[in-house]
mmCIF file of all heavy atoms in Angstrom:
data_model
loop_
_atom_site.group_PDB
_atom_site.id
_atom_site.type_symbol
_atom_site.label_atom_id
_atom_site.label_comp_id
_atom_site.label_asym_id
_atom_site.label_seq_id
_atom_site.Cartn_x
_atom_site.Cartn_y
_atom_site.Cartn_z
ATOM 1 N N THR A 4 88.583 111.611 117.442
ATOM 2 C CA THR A 4 87.605 111.502 118.525
ATOM 3 C C THR A 4 88.028 110.432 119.526
ATOM 4 O O THR A 4 87.986 110.648 120.739
ATOM 5 C CB THR A 4 86.209 111.175 117.961
ATOM 6 O OG1 THR A 4 85.832 112.201 117.040
ATOM 7 C CG2 THR A 4 85.176 111.074 119.069
ATOM 8 N N ALA A 5 88.453 109.297 119.017
ATOM 9 C CA ALA A 5 88.905 108.220 119.900
ATOM 10 C C ALA A 5 90.123 108.659 120.710
ATOM 11 O O ALA A 5 90.228 108.362 121.904
ATOM 12 C CB ALA A 5 89.233 106.978 119.081
ATOM 13 N N LEU A 6 91.011 109.375 120.089
ATOM 14 C CA LEU A 6 92.210 109.828 120.793
ATOM 15 C C LEU A 6 91.891 110.875 121.857
ATOM 16 O O LEU A 6 92.506 110.901 122.920
ATOM 17 C CB LEU A 6 93.226 110.385 119.799
ATOM 18 C CG LEU A 6 93.873 109.362 118.872
ATOM 19 C CD1 LEU A 6 94.730 110.060 117.832
ATOM 20 C CD2 LEU A 6 94.704 108.375 119.668
ATOM 21 N N LEU A 7 90.931 111.728 121.565
ATOM 22 C CA LEU A 7 90.580 112.772 122.525
ATOM 23 C C LEU A 7 89.900 112.204 123.769
ATOM 24 O O LEU A 7 90.037 112.759 124.860
ATOM 25 C CB LEU A 7 89.666 113.808 121.872
ATOM 26 C CG LEU A 7 90.339 114.723 120.849
ATOM 27 C CD1 LEU A 7 89.296 115.596 120.162
ATOM 28 C CD2 LEU A 7 91.406 115.586 121.501
ATOM 29 N N PHE A 8 89.163 111.132 123.606
ATOM 30 C CA PHE A 8 88.421 110.576 124.727
ATOM 31 C C PHE A 8 89.125 109.387 125.383
ATOM 32 O O PHE A 8 88.555 108.700 126.209
ATOM 33 C CB PHE A 8 87.007 110.174 124.290
ATOM 34 C CG PHE A 8 86.152 111.374 123.996
ATOM 35 C CD1 PHE A 8 85.905 111.764 122.695
ATOM 36 C CD2 PHE A 8 85.623 112.122 125.032
ATOM 37 C CE1 PHE A 8 85.129 112.875 122.426
ATOM 38 C CE2 PHE A 8 84.849 113.243 124.767
ATOM 39 C CZ PHE A 8 84.599 113.616 123.470
ATOM 40 N N THR A 9 90.343 109.175 125.036
ATOM 41 C CA THR A 9 91.085 108.064 125.622
ATOM 42 C C THR A 9 91.703 108.486 126.961
ATOM 43 O O THR A 9 91.874 109.665 127.227
ATOM 44 C CB THR A 9 92.188 107.580 124.658
ATOM 45 O OG1 THR A 9 92.752 106.397 125.169
ATOM 46 C CG2 THR A 9 93.260 108.611 124.478
ATOM 47 N N THR A 10 92.031 107.523 127.772
ATOM 48 C CA THR A 10 92.628 107.824 129.072
ATOM 49 C C THR A 10 94.106 107.445 129.097
ATOM 50 O O THR A 10 94.707 107.362 130.160
ATOM 51 C CB THR A 10 91.903 107.045 130.180
ATOM 52 O OG1 THR A 10 91.986 105.657 129.884
ATOM 53 C CG2 THR A 10 90.466 107.486 130.283
ATOM 54 N N LYS A 11 94.696 107.255 127.956
ATOM 55 C CA LYS A 11 96.086 106.823 127.875
ATOM 56 C C LYS A 11 97.033 107.999 128.082
ATOM 57 O O LYS A 11 96.661 109.158 127.964
ATOM 58 C CB LYS A 11 96.342 106.181 126.519
ATOM 59 C CG LYS A 11 95.388 105.054 126.213
ATOM 60 C CD LYS A 11 96.082 103.925 125.603
ATOM 61 C CE LYS A 11 95.049 102.839 125.338
ATOM 62 N NZ LYS A 11 95.548 101.568 125.514
ATOM 63 N N LYS A 12 98.273 107.682 128.365
ATOM 64 C CA LYS A 12 99.313 108.688 128.563
ATOM 65 C C LYS A 12 99.719 109.300 127.224
ATOM 66 O O LYS A 12 99.431 108.767 126.156
ATOM 67 C CB LYS A 12 100.540 108.061 129.229
ATOM 68 C CG LYS A 12 100.242 107.482 130.579
ATOM 69 C CD LYS A 12 100.065 108.597 131.574
ATOM 70 C CE LYS A 12 99.826 108.001 132.957
ATOM 71 N NZ LYS A 12 99.452 108.966 133.919
ATOM 72 N N GLY A 13 100.402 110.429 127.281
ATOM 73 C CA GLY A 13 100.801 111.176 126.084
ATOM 74 C C GLY A 13 101.585 110.377 125.074
ATOM 75 O O GLY A 13 101.326 110.448 123.870
ATOM 76 N N LYS A 14 102.564 109.607 125.512
ATOM 77 C CA LYS A 14 103.387 108.812 124.598
ATOM 78 C C LYS A 14 102.550 107.765 123.883
ATOM 79 O O LYS A 14 102.715 107.534 122.675
ATOM 80 C CB LYS A 14 104.530 108.140 125.368
ATOM 81 C CG LYS A 14 105.454 107.318 124.508
ATOM 82 C CD LYS A 14 106.171 108.165 123.482
ATOM 83 C CE LYS A 14 107.135 107.292 122.676
ATOM 84 N NZ LYS A 14 107.535 107.924 121.457
ATOM 85 N N GLN A 15 101.632 107.150 124.602
ATOM 86 C CA GLN A 15 100.764 106.151 123.978
ATOM 87 C C GLN A 15 99.861 106.806 122.935
ATOM 88 O O GLN A 15 99.607 106.227 121.877
ATOM 89 C CB GLN A 15 99.930 105.451 125.044
ATOM 90 C CG GLN A 15 100.763 104.560 125.956
ATOM 91 C CD GLN A 15 99.957 104.052 127.133
ATOM 92 O OE1 GLN A 15 99.078 104.744 127.641
ATOM 93 N NE2 GLN A 15 100.261 102.831 127.567
ATOM 94 N N ILE A 16 99.376 107.994 123.235
ATOM 95 C CA ILE A 16 98.535 108.713 122.269
ATOM 96 C C ILE A 16 99.346 109.069 121.035
ATOM 97 O O ILE A 16 98.874 108.919 119.908
ATOM 98 C CB ILE A 16 97.908 109.971 122.915
ATOM 99 C CG1 ILE A 16 96.894 109.550 123.979
ATOM 100 C CG2 ILE A 16 97.244 110.852 121.859
ATOM 101 C CD1 ILE A 16 96.325 110.710 124.773
ATOM 102 N N GLN A 17 100.585 109.515 121.238
ATOM 103 C CA GLN A 17 101.445 109.832 120.096
ATOM 104 C C GLN A 17 101.672 108.601 119.227
ATOM 105 O O GLN A 17 101.648 108.685 117.996
ATOM 106 C CB GLN A 17 102.780 110.389 120.583
ATOM 107 C CG GLN A 17 102.682 111.764 121.193
ATOM 108 C CD GLN A 17 103.999 112.226 121.797
ATOM 109 O OE1 GLN A 17 104.959 111.462 121.873
ATOM 110 N NE2 GLN A 17 104.031 113.475 122.239
ATOM 111 N N ASP A 18 101.893 107.481 119.872
ATOM 112 C CA ASP A 18 102.095 106.244 119.114
ATOM 113 C C ASP A 18 100.853 105.876 118.311
ATOM 114 O O ASP A 18 100.956 105.441 117.158
ATOM 115 C CB ASP A 18 102.459 105.089 120.059
ATOM 116 C CG ASP A 18 103.848 105.241 120.665
ATOM 117 O OD1 ASP A 18 104.662 106.013 120.114
ATOM 118 O OD2 ASP A 18 104.105 104.593 121.702
ATOM 119 N N ARG A 19 99.702 106.069 118.907
ATOM 120 C CA ARG A 19 98.454 105.769 118.192
ATOM 121 C C ARG A 19 98.262 106.713 117.018
ATOM 122 O O ARG A 19 97.768 106.314 115.957
ATOM 123 C CB ARG A 19 97.263 105.846 119.140
ATOM 124 C CG ARG A 19 97.236 104.654 120.115
ATOM 125 C CD ARG A 19 96.059 104.689 121.019
ATOM 126 N NE ARG A 19 94.817 104.481 120.261
ATOM 127 C CZ ARG A 19 93.618 104.598 120.794
ATOM 128 N NH1 ARG A 19 93.487 104.901 122.080
ATOM 129 N NH2 ARG A 19 92.553 104.383 120.065
ATOM 130 N N ILE A 20 98.632 107.985 117.191
ATOM 131 C CA ILE A 20 98.520 108.952 116.098
ATOM 132 C C ILE A 20 99.435 108.538 114.948
ATOM 133 O O ILE A 20 99.038 108.561 113.781
ATOM 134 C CB ILE A 20 98.846 110.382 116.580
ATOM 135 C CG1 ILE A 20 97.732 110.886 117.498
ATOM 136 C CG2 ILE A 20 99.018 111.332 115.396
ATOM 137 C CD1 ILE A 20 98.046 112.205 118.184
ATOM 138 N N VAL A 21 100.653 108.154 115.274
ATOM 139 C CA VAL A 21 101.602 107.712 114.245
ATOM 140 C C VAL A 21 101.068 106.476 113.531
ATOM 141 O O VAL A 21 101.135 106.378 112.293
ATOM 142 C CB VAL A 21 102.997 107.443 114.856
ATOM 143 C CG1 VAL A 21 103.909 106.743 113.866
ATOM 144 C CG2 VAL A 21 103.628 108.738 115.338
ATOM 145 N N ASP A 22 100.534 105.528 114.279
ATOM 146 C CA ASP A 22 99.968 104.325 113.673
ATOM 147 C C ASP A 22 98.798 104.660 112.745
ATOM 148 O O ASP A 22 98.694 104.123 111.642
ATOM 149 C CB ASP A 22 99.505 103.335 114.746
ATOM 150 C CG ASP A 22 100.664 102.722 115.519
ATOM 151 O OD1 ASP A 22 101.818 102.793 115.034
ATOM 152 O OD2 ASP A 22 100.411 102.178 116.621
ATOM 153 N N ALA A 23 97.929 105.548 113.195
ATOM 154 C CA ALA A 23 96.780 105.951 112.372
ATOM 155 C C ALA A 23 97.256 106.662 111.112
ATOM 156 O O ALA A 23 96.729 106.427 110.013
ATOM 157 C CB ALA A 23 95.844 106.858 113.171
ATOM 158 N N TYR A 24 98.267 107.513 111.258
ATOM 159 C CA TYR A 24 98.820 108.217 110.095
ATOM 160 C C TYR A 24 99.390 107.220 109.092
ATOM 161 O O TYR A 24 99.149 107.327 107.896
ATOM 162 C CB TYR A 24 99.909 109.204 110.536
ATOM 163 C CG TYR A 24 100.685 109.791 109.388
ATOM 164 C CD1 TYR A 24 100.136 110.812 108.607
ATOM 165 C CD2 TYR A 24 101.948 109.317 109.059
ATOM 166 C CE1 TYR A 24 100.836 111.340 107.544
ATOM 167 C CE2 TYR A 24 102.650 109.839 107.996
ATOM 168 C CZ TYR A 24 102.095 110.853 107.245
ATOM 169 O OH TYR A 24 102.782 111.372 106.183
ATOM 170 N N ASP A 25 100.148 106.256 109.591
ATOM 171 C CA ASP A 25 100.731 105.249 108.703
ATOM 172 C C ASP A 25 99.657 104.442 107.988
ATOM 173 O O ASP A 25 99.791 104.119 106.803
ATOM 174 C CB ASP A 25 101.653 104.311 109.484
ATOM 175 C CG ASP A 25 102.939 104.997 109.936
ATOM 176 O OD1 ASP A 25 103.301 106.039 109.354
ATOM 177 O OD2 ASP A 25 103.574 104.483 110.891
ATOM 178 N N GLU A 26 98.587 104.131 108.694
ATOM 179 C CA GLU A 26 97.487 103.375 108.088
ATOM 180 C C GLU A 26 96.805 104.184 106.978
ATOM 181 O O GLU A 26 96.549 103.675 105.890
ATOM 182 C CB GLU A 26 96.467 103.002 109.161
ATOM 183 C CG GLU A 26 95.344 102.128 108.652
ATOM 184 C CD GLU A 26 94.382 101.739 109.763
ATOM 185 O OE1 GLU A 26 94.836 101.554 110.908
ATOM 186 O OE2 GLU A 26 93.184 101.624 109.469
ATOM 187 N N VAL A 27 96.532 105.452 107.253
ATOM 188 C CA VAL A 27 95.904 106.314 106.247
ATOM 189 C C VAL A 27 96.847 106.512 105.068
ATOM 190 O O VAL A 27 96.429 106.474 103.904
ATOM 191 C CB VAL A 27 95.487 107.675 106.866
ATOM 192 C CG1 VAL A 27 95.077 108.656 105.791
ATOM 193 C CG2 VAL A 27 94.363 107.483 107.861
ATOM 194 N N LYS A 28 98.118 106.708 105.359
ATOM 195 C CA LYS A 28 99.111 106.885 104.292
ATOM 196 C C LYS A 28 99.138 105.659 103.378
ATOM 197 O O LYS A 28 99.154 105.794 102.150
ATOM 198 C CB LYS A 28 100.486 107.129 104.919
ATOM 199 C CG LYS A 28 101.592 107.371 103.932
ATOM 200 C CD LYS A 28 102.901 107.621 104.687
ATOM 201 C CE LYS A 28 104.088 107.661 103.760
ATOM 202 N NZ LYS A 28 105.349 107.822 104.504
ATOM 203 N N GLY A 29 99.139 104.474 103.973
ATOM 204 C CA GLY A 29 99.126 103.247 103.180
ATOM 205 C C GLY A 29 97.861 103.119 102.355
ATOM 206 O O GLY A 29 97.903 102.715 101.192
ATOM 207 N N SER A 30 96.739 103.498 102.943
ATOM 208 C CA SER A 30 95.465 103.434 102.231
ATOM 209 C C SER A 30 95.458 104.384 101.036
ATOM 210 O O SER A 30 94.989 104.029 99.952
ATOM 211 C CB SER A 30 94.324 103.776 103.186
ATOM 212 O OG SER A 30 93.105 103.829 102.505
ATOM 213 N N VAL A 31 95.980 105.575 101.236
ATOM 214 C CA VAL A 31 96.035 106.559 100.138
ATOM 215 C C VAL A 31 96.953 106.053 99.034
ATOM 216 O O VAL A 31 96.616 106.149 97.845
ATOM 217 C CB VAL A 31 96.498 107.936 100.663
ATOM 218 C CG1 VAL A 31 96.819 108.880 99.520
ATOM 219 C CG2 VAL A 31 95.434 108.543 101.561
ATOM 220 N N LYS A 32 98.093 105.488 99.405
ATOM 221 C CA LYS A 32 99.008 104.949 98.392
ATOM 222 C C LYS A 32 98.339 103.837 97.596
ATOM 223 O O LYS A 32 98.483 103.766 96.376
ATOM 224 C CB LYS A 32 100.281 104.433 99.047
ATOM 225 C CG LYS A 32 101.255 105.516 99.417
ATOM 226 C CD LYS A 32 102.554 104.925 99.946
ATOM 227 C CE LYS A 32 103.554 106.015 100.271
ATOM 228 N NZ LYS A 32 104.838 105.448 100.741
ATOM 229 N N ASP A 33 97.617 102.954 98.283
ATOM 230 C CA ASP A 33 96.921 101.861 97.604
ATOM 231 C C ASP A 33 95.875 102.396 96.633
ATOM 232 O O ASP A 33 95.761 101.937 95.504
ATOM 233 C CB ASP A 33 96.253 100.925 98.614
ATOM 234 C CG ASP A 33 97.249 100.115 99.427
ATOM 235 O OD1 ASP A 33 98.429 100.045 99.031
ATOM 236 O OD2 ASP A 33 96.834 99.557 100.468
ATOM 237 N N THR A 34 95.116 103.388 97.097
ATOM 238 C CA THR A 34 94.076 103.970 96.250
ATOM 239 C C THR A 34 94.685 104.646 95.029
ATOM 240 O O THR A 34 94.186 104.492 93.914
ATOM 241 C CB THR A 34 93.231 104.984 97.049
ATOM 242 O OG1 THR A 34 92.660 104.312 98.173
ATOM 243 C CG2 THR A 34 92.131 105.574 96.197
ATOM 244 N N LEU A 35 95.769 105.376 95.226
ATOM 245 C CA LEU A 35 96.433 106.027 94.101
ATOM 246 C C LEU A 35 96.992 105.002 93.123
ATOM 247 O O LEU A 35 96.895 105.181 91.903
ATOM 248 C CB LEU A 35 97.547 106.948 94.598
ATOM 249 C CG LEU A 35 97.105 108.219 95.300
ATOM 250 C CD1 LEU A 35 98.308 108.981 95.845
ATOM 251 C CD2 LEU A 35 96.304 109.107 94.366
ATOM 252 N N SER A 36 97.546 103.926 93.649
ATOM 253 C CA SER A 36 98.079 102.877 92.799
ATOM 254 C C SER A 36 96.974 102.230 91.964
ATOM 255 O O SER A 36 97.140 102.010 90.761
ATOM 256 C CB SER A 36 98.781 101.823 93.658
ATOM 257 O OG SER A 36 99.235 100.762 92.868
ATOM 258 N N GLU A 37 95.842 101.949 92.604
ATOM 259 C CA GLU A 37 94.712 101.357 91.887
ATOM 260 C C GLU A 37 94.179 102.318 90.823
ATOM 261 O O GLU A 37 93.859 101.908 89.706
ATOM 262 C CB GLU A 37 93.600 100.996 92.858
ATOM 263 C CG GLU A 37 93.934 99.828 93.763
ATOM 264 C CD GLU A 37 92.884 99.603 94.842
ATOM 265 O OE1 GLU A 37 91.816 100.232 94.794
ATOM 266 O OE2 GLU A 37 93.151 98.790 95.753
ATOM 267 N N SER A 38 94.097 103.592 91.164
ATOM 268 C CA SER A 38 93.620 104.594 90.207
ATOM 269 C C SER A 38 94.562 104.697 89.018
ATOM 270 O O SER A 38 94.133 104.774 87.865
ATOM 271 C CB SER A 38 93.486 105.958 90.875
ATOM 272 O OG SER A 38 92.533 105.914 91.898
ATOM 273 N N LYS A 39 95.854 104.699 89.299
ATOM 274 C CA LYS A 39 96.848 104.763 88.226
ATOM 275 C C LYS A 39 96.708 103.562 87.299
ATOM 276 O O LYS A 39 96.751 103.699 86.071
ATOM 277 C CB LYS A 39 98.253 104.811 88.822
ATOM 278 C CG LYS A 39 99.346 104.888 87.791
ATOM 279 C CD LYS A 39 100.719 104.934 88.449
ATOM 280 C CE LYS A 39 101.813 104.922 87.395
ATOM 281 N NZ LYS A 39 103.150 104.873 88.000
ATOM 282 N N GLN A 40 96.520 102.387 87.891
ATOM 283 C CA GLN A 40 96.371 101.169 87.101
ATOM 284 C C GLN A 40 95.120 101.243 86.214
ATOM 285 O O GLN A 40 95.161 100.894 85.037
ATOM 286 C CB GLN A 40 96.299 99.950 88.007
ATOM 287 C CG GLN A 40 96.209 98.636 87.268
ATOM 288 C CD GLN A 40 96.142 97.445 88.211
ATOM 289 O OE1 GLN A 40 96.106 97.599 89.422
ATOM 290 N NE2 GLN A 40 96.117 96.259 87.647
ATOM 291 N N LYS A 41 94.014 101.728 86.775
ATOM 292 C CA LYS A 41 92.777 101.844 85.991
ATOM 293 C C LYS A 41 92.951 102.837 84.853
ATOM 294 O O LYS A 41 92.467 102.612 83.742
ATOM 295 C CB LYS A 41 91.621 102.281 86.890
ATOM 296 C CG LYS A 41 91.124 101.188 87.798
ATOM 297 C CD LYS A 41 89.971 101.666 88.660
ATOM 298 C CE LYS A 41 89.487 100.594 89.597
ATOM 299 N NZ LYS A 41 88.372 101.048 90.439
ATOM 300 N N ILE A 42 93.649 103.933 85.111
ATOM 301 C CA ILE A 42 93.882 104.931 84.062
ATOM 302 C C ILE A 42 94.744 104.339 82.960
ATOM 303 O O ILE A 42 94.454 104.514 81.767
ATOM 304 C CB ILE A 42 94.532 106.197 84.663
ATOM 305 C CG1 ILE A 42 93.520 106.942 85.517
ATOM 306 C CG2 ILE A 42 95.084 107.097 83.563
ATOM 307 C CD1 ILE A 42 94.107 108.066 86.344
ATOM 308 N N GLU A 43 95.801 103.623 83.343
ATOM 309 C CA GLU A 43 96.675 103.000 82.342
ATOM 310 C C GLU A 43 95.910 101.977 81.511
ATOM 311 O O GLU A 43 96.102 101.904 80.294
ATOM 312 C CB GLU A 43 97.878 102.348 83.026
ATOM 313 C CG GLU A 43 98.869 103.359 83.573
ATOM 314 C CD GLU A 43 99.977 102.732 84.392
ATOM 315 O OE1 GLU A 43 99.892 101.518 84.722
ATOM 316 O OE2 GLU A 43 100.933 103.459 84.728
ATOM 317 N N GLU A 44 95.046 101.202 82.148
ATOM 318 C CA GLU A 44 94.236 100.223 81.408
ATOM 319 C C GLU A 44 93.305 100.933 80.440
ATOM 320 O O GLU A 44 93.128 100.496 79.296
ATOM 321 C CB GLU A 44 93.435 99.359 82.368
ATOM 322 C CG GLU A 44 94.270 98.376 83.157
ATOM 323 C CD GLU A 44 93.482 97.651 84.239
ATOM 324 O OE1 GLU A 44 92.273 97.922 84.392
ATOM 325 O OE2 GLU A 44 94.088 96.825 84.945
ATOM 326 N N GLY A 45 92.707 102.036 80.877
ATOM 327 C CA GLY A 45 91.822 102.806 80.001
ATOM 328 C C GLY A 45 92.567 103.381 78.814
ATOM 329 O O GLY A 45 92.075 103.374 77.681
ATOM 330 N N VAL A 46 93.774 103.888 79.051
ATOM 331 C CA VAL A 46 94.586 104.432 77.960
ATOM 332 C C VAL A 46 94.958 103.328 76.987
ATOM 333 O O VAL A 46 94.896 103.515 75.767
ATOM 334 C CB VAL A 46 95.851 105.130 78.524
ATOM 335 C CG1 VAL A 46 96.839 105.452 77.421
ATOM 336 C CG2 VAL A 46 95.474 106.388 79.278
ATOM 337 N N ASP A 47 95.339 102.165 77.520
ATOM 338 C CA ASP A 47 95.679 101.033 76.654
ATOM 339 C C ASP A 47 94.491 100.619 75.784
ATOM 340 O O ASP A 47 94.641 100.380 74.583
ATOM 341 C CB ASP A 47 96.158 99.833 77.473
ATOM 342 C CG ASP A 47 97.542 100.031 78.074
ATOM 343 O OD1 ASP A 47 98.259 100.950 77.625
ATOM 344 O OD2 ASP A 47 97.881 99.259 78.994
ATOM 345 N N GLN A 48 93.315 100.539 76.385
ATOM 346 C CA GLN A 48 92.122 100.160 75.630
ATOM 347 C C GLN A 48 91.800 101.206 74.570
ATOM 348 O O GLN A 48 91.460 100.861 73.441
ATOM 349 C CB GLN A 48 90.933 99.981 76.566
ATOM 350 C CG GLN A 48 91.021 98.743 77.427
ATOM 351 C CD GLN A 48 89.850 98.615 78.387
ATOM 352 O OE1 GLN A 48 89.017 99.500 78.504
ATOM 353 N NE2 GLN A 48 89.803 97.496 79.103
ATOM 354 N N ALA A 49 91.913 102.472 74.920
ATOM 355 C CA ALA A 49 91.627 103.535 73.958
ATOM 356 C C ALA A 49 92.636 103.499 72.816
ATOM 357 O O ALA A 49 92.275 103.689 71.650
ATOM 358 C CB ALA A 49 91.653 104.892 74.652
ATOM 359 N N THR A 50 93.897 103.235 73.141
ATOM 360 C CA THR A 50 94.935 103.156 72.109
ATOM 361 C C THR A 50 94.668 101.982 71.174
ATOM 362 O O THR A 50 94.795 102.119 69.950
ATOM 363 C CB THR A 50 96.323 103.003 72.766
ATOM 364 O OG1 THR A 50 96.540 104.098 73.644
ATOM 365 C CG2 THR A 50 97.416 102.953 71.739
#
């Protein structure tokens, strides 16, 4: 929504899209890492 209503040039919009993608990608990796850690801790406790 922010990108659609912006008045910036095409290259700037592309850069913002790439930045947003990288941010989401990092967030997903962090969440997956935390989930993996919680699962491993649960398995260790169960063992």
Side-chain angles (χ1 to χ4, degrees):
T4 302
L6 291 173
L7 288 174
F8 290 102
T9 188
T10 58
K11 305 222 180 215
K12 299 286 183 189
K14 181 63 178 163
Q15 291 171 326
I16 292 174
Q17 290 174 353
D18 290 341
R19 288 182 67 187
I20 290 172
V21 169
D22 291 343
Y24 170 77
D25 289 340
E26 184 178 326
V27 170
K28 182 179 171 183
S30 175
V31 169
K32 282 185 178 182
D33 291 345
T34 302
L35 289 175
S36 177
E37 290 173 9
S38 297
K39 180 180 176 184
Q40 183 180 3
K41 286 181 181 180
I42 289 170
E43 288 173 349
E44 289 172 359
V46 169
D47 288 344
Q48 288 178 354
T50 303

